[in-house]
Amino acid sequence: MTTSAQSGIHHVTLITRNVQANVDFYAGFLGLRLVKQTGGYEDSLQLHLFYGDRLGSPGTVVTFFVWQDGAPGRVGTGQVSEIAFAVPQDSIGEWMTRALTAGVPMERPSREFGEPVLRLKDPDGFIVKLVGSDQPAPAPWGDETTAIRRIRAVTLLTDSGDETAAFISRFGYRPLATDGSIMRLMSDTDVVDVRDVTGYVPGIPGTGTADHIAFRAADEDAVRQVEASLASLNSSPTNFHDRKYFSSLYVREPGGTLIELATDGPGFTVDEDADHLGETLLVPPYETGRAADIKVMLPQFGRPGEPRPPRRDLPFVHRFYTPDEPNDDTIIVLHGSGGNEADLMPFAHRVSPHASILGVRGRATEEGSARWFRRFTLNSFDQNDIHSEAEAFNAFIQGAVSGYRLDPERITFIGLSNGANFAAAVMALYPDLIRRAILLRAIPVLDSLPDVDLSGAQVLLLDGIDDPFARNAPALANWLRERGAALEQHQLEGGHSLTEADTAAAKAWHQQYSPPSPFAVR
């Protein structure tokens, strides 16, 4: 059974932990066109990048879920382990020279199934092969003497070689050749290498691994036919999705690799002109109402030839957001328990739309969730951990001020819950570090609040009337006043969660206490 008159690979989706390095490699070094950037359709807070030929034609596309600063995975059984692109046969030497010049890791050229192959590694360590194969490009992009034409092959790792090969044959593939443990299957346009690695470790999802491979189908009817066929075979569960640029079906083959069947249309020009593909960050249709917040939370990057967003190697995972028209203000945000560096960015953006935002991720973890320090119980906290993390945070802020060229007089800290508690502790331990702060649902967490001088510090405390932790908030407020801080405190309707009243109060306070900028924008 084949899916339709179409056959071959539609796209391959991988996972990256560094969006800028990814763009530099795939659009810069390899020369693919970035044809689309969206919030993910499964998770709109996950940036999804699509690269391909001029139009992002089926058979040319490699896509990436951006898990910025995410944990590395492990390549193993049940995964795509390599992707190969077709380039002109006589261009392999030129690509070698480029790789040497750019410092791209590579192996010496070899031959696989009679074809010349240059094996490289992308910034996440995933294997990318350039194969000398004079195949036509559906919609050419770049220098025709060296440019990537299309996807030539993928390699699947499996511990069920025969079963995996039989399953892949359903998508228009037929046996071509065998080399050791590798069975090569051929479609009309490309090949799939099924590598039997029985006894090898199973793959673990994460950055530097592949999420899935997609095969082509002519239209939705063809996808529905395959869905019915797989259901009659009692295959793994199937899921049908409308991805706007194509409709698709997901299923797992017997070896565990996630397979997608995707329609050729409507394609990437459905919401952008062909001459401007990939220039605008788009969000899924169901997220239109949150589009502004999502765009603030997703990591920024520069295209080849454009300025790079600032990125510094500092002791806390962080994300820097620059608005379209920045002024001299910076807001540093500290998330609550279980959050991440992007959680409070929309809140900060509403408080000050022209401020740059530095989102920071706490380094302590509890049942897999990020926190700023360890706790023993709901009301008992690891004092040594608070002190050591505060020391590291002090170093981080000093490095951020220098590395990102921030004006210390124009920095406001915003913390929520655990992040606000930590910010208050930092003020106690390093009283000269945080001089302007908005603390949301904060309580004291140090066993003993020190007698420090906070004269000149400006603090806004926002508490929820029905917040179960609010009974401990007065102790923090009293300490701040007694230490000389200029304190403004409000009790707002609601509990521990933020409301629109928090935004309004924080915005009004920030406008009052933030010094006027000498420039409207910088």
Side-chain angles (χ1 to χ4, degrees):
M1 179 195 71
T2 58
T3 59
S4 65
Q6 306 292 358
S7 69
I9 296 168
H10 186 282
H11 68 267
V12 180
T13 294
L14 312 176
I15 306 170
T16 182
R17 75 183 312 269
N18 186 329
V19 64
Q20 188 60 68
N22 185 267
V23 171
D24 289 343
F25 181 82
Y26 285 90
F29 175 73
L30 290 183
L32 296 171
R33 186 182 190 188
L34 178 61
V35 294
K36 196 68 61 181
Q37 49 171 317
T38 77
Y41 275 66
E42 293 290 334
D43 178 1
S44 60
L45 299 182
Q46 175 181 270
L47 182 61
H48 194 178
L49 303 181
F50 298 75
Y51 304 92
D53 66 2
R54 187 176 67 86
L55 299 177
S57 306
T60 72
V61 176
V62 57
T63 92
F64 284 87
F65 297 145
V66 179
W67 294 8
Q68 192 71 12
D69 296 306
R74 181 179 69 193
V75 177
T77 58
Q79 289 181 337
V80 174
S81 65
E82 300 175 340
I83 183 171
F85 294 102
V87 297
Q89 285 199 39
D90 57 2
S91 69
I92 294 294
E94 173 63 23
W95 280 107
M96 275 191 66
T97 301
R98 290 187 187 181
L100 287 168
T101 302
V104 173
M106 69 172 179
E107 297 178 8
R108 65 178 60 186
S110 61
R111 299 190 73 83
E112 297 180 6
F113 292 94
E115 296 176 323
V117 173
L118 182 63
R119 187 182 296 261
L120 312 170
K121 284 188 177 180
D122 79 359
D124 291 289
F126 193 83
I127 295 174
V128 175
K129 299 188 294 188
L130 300 180
V131 180
S133 177
D134 289 324
Q135 294 179 291
W141 178 257
D143 183 350
E144 65 177 8
T145 63
T146 57
I148 288 173
R149 306 293 181 81
R150 61 178 309 114
I151 294 175
R152 171 57 180 158
V154 296
T155 301
L156 306 185
L157 300 184
T158 179
D159 55 9
S160 307
D162 291 338
E163 294 176 80
T164 295
F167 192 90
I168 298 301
S169 69
R170 298 177 178 277
F171 303 105
Y173 286 82
R174 54 196 180 275
L176 177 63
T178 300
D179 184 359
S181 62
I182 300 175
M183 292 179 282
R184 171 158 283 199
L185 308 177
M186 178 178 63
S187 73
D188 295 338
T189 54
D190 52 54
V191 297
V192 172
D193 290 332
V194 177
R195 185 177 179 184
D196 193 319
V197 289
T198 299
Y200 191 52
V201 296
I204 297 176
T207 61
T209 69
D211 185 77
H212 65 268
I213 177 176
F215 295 108
R216 294 175 65 183
D219 50 37
E220 186 174 326
D221 286 342
V223 176
R224 293 292 189 185
Q225 290 174 18
V226 173
E227 183 180 31
S229 174
L230 293 174
S232 69
L233 292 173
N234 195 28
S235 71
S236 74
T238 58
N239 298 286
F240 186 86
H241 299 276
D242 179 359
R243 297 301 193 212
K244 187 177 183 180
Y245 311 110
F246 46 83
S247 297
S248 68
L249 174 78
Y250 288 93
V251 65
R252 288 196 182 273
E253 53 86 17
T257 301
L258 183 60
I259 304 294
E260 184 179 16
L261 183 62
T263 59
D264 276 0
F268 294 111
T269 58
V270 69
D271 54 8
E272 288 182 299
D273 182 83
D275 291 336
H276 299 282
L277 287 177
E279 294 181 3
T280 303
L281 174 60
L282 304 170
V283 300
Y286 67 87
E287 289 283 28
T288 301
R290 284 209 308 159
D293 285 355
I294 291 171
K295 290 179 180 180
V296 173
M297 297 175 78
L298 294 180
Q300 295 177 309
F301 62 88
R303 296 165 174 275
E306 295 180 349
R308 298 291 185 268
R311 169 94 176 173
R312 300 292 182 264
D313 185 15
L314 297 170
F316 284 77
V317 172
H318 62 282
R319 185 174 303 176
F320 198 90
Y321 169 78
T322 304
D324 292 336
E325 297 180 341
N327 59 19
D328 294 316
D329 290 337
T330 301
I331 296 179
I332 299 177
V333 294
L334 288 73
H335 62 80
S337 296
N340 62 44
E341 62 274 20
D343 280 358
L344 284 177
M345 283 183 158
F347 181 88
H349 187 61
R350 287 191 286 273
V351 168
S352 183
H354 296 292
S356 298
I357 304 170
L358 178 58
V360 193
R361 186 193 305 174
R363 304 193 305 179
T365 57
E366 186 173 282
E367 297 180 349
S369 297
R371 288 176 49 83
W372 291 93
F373 50 85
R374 292 191 296 267
R375 63 182 175 183
F376 300 128
T377 68
L378 285 177
N379 298 301
S380 176
F381 310 102
D382 186 332
Q383 300 299 298
N384 290 334
D385 200 40
I386 295 173
H387 280 257
S388 63
E389 288 304 294
E391 181 180 11
F393 189 75
N394 176 53
F396 168 82
I397 294 300
Q398 302 298 336
V401 167
S402 173
Y404 291 111
R405 298 182 180 179
L406 309 181
D407 183 349
E409 299 299 320
R410 304 191 66 85
I411 296 176
T412 301
F413 291 79
I414 298 180
L416 170 63
S417 186
N418 182 245
N421 302 344
F422 181 67
V426 171
M427 293 184 72
L429 299 172
Y430 297 89
D432 294 328
L433 187 66
I434 298 178
R435 306 301 294 167
R436 189 181 304 112
I438 299 173
L439 304 181
L440 309 163
R441 315 301 188 264
I443 62 172
V445 292
L446 290 172
D447 289 345
S448 177
L449 290 168
D451 183 10
V452 296
D453 183 5
L454 293 179
S455 300
Q458 300 156 342
V459 181
L460 172 65
L461 287 181
L462 297 179
D463 306 319
I465 293 175
D466 299 321
D467 184 355
F469 299 100
R471 64 181 181 274
N472 297 319
L476 178 61
N478 291 336
W479 175 78
L480 287 167
R481 288 192 186 95
E482 292 169 358
R483 303 282 76 77
L487 176 66
E488 183 175 326
Q489 184 179 19
H490 298 282
Q491 288 189 320
L492 307 176
E493 295 291 336
H496 201 65
S497 299
L498 298 183
T499 68
E500 291 183 2
D502 289 281
T503 304
K507 184 173 183 178
W509 182 90
H510 186 269
Q511 290 175 341
Q512 176 185 356
Y513 282 99
S514 181
S517 175
F519 305 103
V521 296
R522 67 178 181 206

